[in-house]
Amino acid sequence: MKELSLLSLLFLVPHLFFAQERIYRQYATQRVHQRLLAENPDMADRLKQMENHIAQFGDNPGSDSIAVIFHVLQGPNSLPIKEEEIYDQLDMLNRDFGPYEARKKEYKMDAVQALADRGVDMGIYFCLADQDAQPVRYIQTETDEWSMDDAIKKAEKGGAAPHRPDRYLNIWVAELGEGISGYAQMPGGPVHTDGIVIDQSFFARGLPSYEKYYGKGVTLTHLVGNYLGLYDLWNEETPCADDKVADTPIHNSPNASPGALNYHMSTCPGSPVEMSMNFMDNTDDGALTMFTPGQKRRVKANLSAGGFRFSVADGTATRCGKDGLEEMIDRSAMMGGNDTNSPDNNTLSIFPNPAKDEVFIAIQSTDEGLGKLSVFNSQGILLLRRNEQLNKGNFQMNIDCRNWPPGVYYIKVLFQDGSSLSENLTIDR
């Protein structure tokens, strides 16, 4: 009888058994923002000043760079966050805030394609802070999980205080509780808690079980958008509230699956088609590709002189140099295909070339130590970087390139002694 009852229950309420098949991302920025407004009465006036500055802002077609400091909180049950993952996440930020054509997708429905066509290049680059600022900080803690109360940003509570938040974007990576995937402090809040907190499972490619949905590092892209002054496309307290950007449709709630990209009409007045491919929505990572001109203008205003994020921006984009992402120092050298004093018996082979779904890379080297493999697209966006151990011989790897659009790509291997090899790869389907 008990077995029959359990079997009946399985058919009647299957969601009870399979509801944990996937995890849905939950941002807490809006809740943190409301808490900070209640705790800091003068914050509302600062937000009014910010909106006035944005309203009067003209345009900033130039590039900005932002130096980042990572605080990695390692508790009893923490995942090991390696520096390679930190570089990987920075690469993903530079992909999402870089040229739009490298990410743009085609959609079958005209109404959705019209939204996707609004995408723009943000012209913002991210790198590690200089070494003197200790850009990657590992902090041992006894705390199992952190909440959204900002205790993680206080050393006396086992966390880590932000370092020069007037100059650097501080990011805390840790195990978060309450189902929180991350939250950002929007402009205008207290300096001593300024920055972004992200759950370790959503950092970079995240847990293997999350990678199918959230494995492209877009969780941090969304939170950086919040940090730079962009509101979520939905409002938890007041559905259909405006996000203060004219060219984003009003959303009644966040989208949370690729299926929403087919055609999803908002229940808000006017029933607009929702922009579910916008980074400030909450669709799965593989579907999120764009910012709009209005969002870019808002961010650039905050990064401009008089803006609330001006002190962390470098308008000449020179901060991302040798001590940050070294690839940005000399983009032409990394992409140009000219070898740098590489011994004649070092070889780099790519096959098949042209490739379709997978490419094999073979390296023959007389060198030992760490070799750095980098892949750029034709716009100079870094798509992939791997550090591999070379042991005076042949080394092979295969790379899945099914999601790379057709075109020419540049592959470069940098050896321990400073020499390098590079080849062009064509993706043709």
Side-chain angles (χ1 to χ4, degrees):
M1 184 66 179
K2 182 182 292 185
E3 292 180 0
L4 180 60
S5 298
L6 288 174
L7 186 61
S8 300
L9 183 61
L10 177 63
F11 283 104
L12 289 172
V13 284
H15 60 280
L16 293 178
F17 292 86
F18 302 107
Q20 298 303 315
E21 185 176 337
R22 67 163 291 182
I23 301 296
Y24 285 92
R25 178 165 48 200
Q26 296 187 51
Y27 293 112
T29 298
Q30 294 187 42
R31 284 171 278 171
V32 171
H33 189 62
Q34 293 304 316
R35 173 176 61 78
L36 292 175
L37 281 169
E39 295 173 354
N40 302 272
D42 57 341
M43 186 174 163
D45 289 335
R46 292 197 295 273
L47 292 178
K48 289 180 182 178
Q49 295 172 19
M50 180 179 73
E51 295 303 330
N52 289 335
H53 175 73
I54 294 172
Q56 297 170 14
F57 181 71
D59 189 22
N60 176 12
S63 297
D64 295 286
S65 70
I66 296 175
V68 184
I69 289 177
F70 289 92
H71 308 269
V72 182
L73 279 292
Q74 298 182 303
N77 301 314
S78 295
L79 298 172
I81 303 295
K82 301 178 182 178
E83 286 201 25
E84 288 85 352
E85 294 175 82
I86 290 173
Y87 278 104
D88 199 20
Q89 178 67 81
L90 283 172
D91 294 340
M92 293 168 176
L93 281 178
N94 287 313
R95 171 202 66 202
D96 294 344
F97 283 86
Y100 177 51
E101 287 300 318
R103 305 183 308 274
K104 186 177 179 181
K105 295 186 176 182
E106 300 297 325
Y107 302 102
K108 295 180 180 180
M109 305 200 66
D110 291 343
V112 178
Q113 187 63 49
L115 296 177
D117 288 343
R118 297 182 192 175
V120 294
D121 304 351
M122 294 293 276
I124 302 173
Y125 299 95
F126 299 86
C127 60
L128 285 179
D130 54 80
Q131 290 299 318
D132 292 340
Q134 195 180 343
V136 181
R137 305 172 177 215
Y138 289 94
I139 300 98
Q140 297 295 327
T141 178
E142 296 302 317
T143 303
D144 288 320
E145 293 182 344
W146 298 90
S147 180
M148 62 181 105
D149 60 0
D150 284 333
I152 194 172
K153 305 172 184 177
K154 299 172 182 177
E156 66 272 17
K157 294 191 176 183
H163 177 74
R164 292 290 307 275
D166 60 321
R167 175 170 174 79
Y168 302 111
L169 164 56
N170 283 251
I171 298 174
W172 289 261
V173 186
E175 175 77 15
L176 303 184
E178 305 172 86
I180 302 169
S181 305
Y183 65 90
Q185 182 169 301
M186 298 190 69
V191 175
H192 65 277
T193 57
D194 204 6
I196 293 171
V197 179
I198 183 170
D199 183 83
Q200 58 186 7
S201 300
F202 290 85
F203 184 75
R205 300 188 187 281
L207 286 174
S209 57
Y210 289 23
E211 191 169 352
K212 178 179 178 181
Y213 306 103
Y214 305 121
K216 297 183 179 296
V218 178
T219 301
L220 189 58
T221 299
H222 180 105
L223 294 171
V224 169
N226 289 148
Y227 171 84
L228 295 175
L230 298 180
Y231 288 96
D232 300 336
L233 294 187
W234 73 97
N235 190 293
E236 294 173 359
E237 288 197 342
T238 311
C240 302
D242 189 10
D243 66 341
K244 302 183 186 300
V245 176
D247 58 4
T248 56
I250 299 295
H251 286 221
N252 58 280
S253 63
N255 291 295
S257 70
L261 288 174
N262 295 328
Y263 199 94
H264 188 249
M265 295 179 64
S266 171
T267 60
C268 298
S271 301
V273 177
E274 294 188 344
M275 190 177 276
S276 48
M277 71 291 292
N278 192 288
F279 285 123
M280 300 314 294
D281 199 350
N282 196 11
T283 322
D284 293 349
D285 279 12
L288 294 168
T289 59
M290 64 174 289
F291 292 107
T292 68
Q295 289 174 318
K296 177 179 180 177
R297 181 179 176 277
R298 185 174 179 84
V299 165
K300 289 291 190 175
N302 277 324
L303 291 171
S304 69
F308 276 54
R309 293 300 186 200
F310 175 64
S311 65
V312 299
D314 180 348
T316 60
T318 59
R319 192 176 297 179
C320 292
K322 188 173 182 179
D323 292 329
L325 294 176
E326 67 183 42
E327 286 83 358
M328 288 184 176
I329 250 180
D330 189 354
R331 183 74 70 178
S332 61
M334 294 300 289
M335 293 175 55
N338 296 321
D339 300 341
T340 307
N341 300 320
S342 180
D344 292 338
N345 50 355
N346 282 2
T347 62
L348 168 64
S349 303
I350 304 170
F351 55 93
N353 192 8
K356 293 184 182 296
D357 299 324
E358 189 174 37
V359 62
F360 294 88
I361 297 176
I363 302 169
Q364 183 173 355
S365 171
T366 59
D367 198 10
E368 284 200 41
L370 204 61
K372 179 183 291 184
L373 174 84
S374 301
V375 180
F376 297 87
N377 66 13
S378 59
Q379 284 80 38
I381 296 299
L382 184 63
L383 299 179
L384 175 70
R385 175 168 53 204
R386 289 187 183 176
N387 293 330
E388 301 291 350
Q389 192 70 28
L390 304 175
N391 294 310
K392 288 188 176 181
N394 294 325
F395 177 82
Q396 295 186 10
M397 71 180 76
N398 63 300
I399 297 175
D400 185 348
C401 53
R402 286 174 294 180
N403 294 326
W404 297 1
V408 178
Y409 294 79
Y410 305 89
I411 297 179
K412 188 173 184 91
V413 177
L414 183 65
F415 297 101
Q416 190 86 4
D417 62 1
S419 65
S420 63
L421 289 170
S422 56
E423 294 286 346
N424 292 355
L425 164 69
T426 300
I427 302 296
D428 184 13
R429 295 185 182 89

